[in-house]
Amino acid sequence: MTTRDTLGPINRHFWLTRSVARCMGVSLTEAMATGRLTEGEYAHMVTSCRRADCAETCQEWLAQQMALVEEAPMHCANASLLNRLR
């Protein structure tokens, strides 16, 4: 994963983060409601996604998903946290 000096658009990366989680069967809203994810961790996830330089790769990956996946894609800046939430 590469990073960039400027942050990407917040709305785009908010939805990319939620979409990858959804492909894994993870509800970030539910994870926060049950205490498995803090608001700060959630904000950090979106910021990490905004810093990563893989939005196009992520969108391509998302477009190919037809069923729930076991793990986050390796290029995902939030892979380890998403895998823990699964």
Side-chain angles (χ1 to χ4, degrees):
M1 178 191 67
T2 59
T3 59
R4 57 180 164 187
D5 295 329
T6 58
L7 297 177
I10 192 167
N11 286 341
R12 180 181 193 193
H13 294 277
F14 170 83
W15 288 109
L16 288 173
T17 300
R18 289 186 69 87
S19 296
V20 172
R22 193 174 317 118
C23 283
M24 298 175 64
V26 173
S27 165
L28 297 176
T29 303
E30 183 179 317
M32 284 193 302
T34 60
R36 296 181 329 143
L37 181 69
T38 67
E39 289 179 16
E41 287 173 319
Y42 191 10
H44 187 268
M45 289 177 76
V46 175
T47 301
S48 294
C49 183
R50 292 177 71 197
R51 260 191 211 111
D53 193 20
C54 60
E56 297 301 323
T57 303
C58 188
Q59 284 185 265
E60 291 171 13
W61 181 86
L62 287 165
Q64 295 173 11
Q65 302 315 304
M66 299 295 190
L68 289 179
V69 297
E70 296 286 324
E71 295 183 334
M74 291 176 55
H75 68 266
C76 180
N78 296 305
S80 60
L81 180 54
L82 286 170
N83 290 335
R84 179 178 61 84
L85 291 171
R86 183 150 183 355

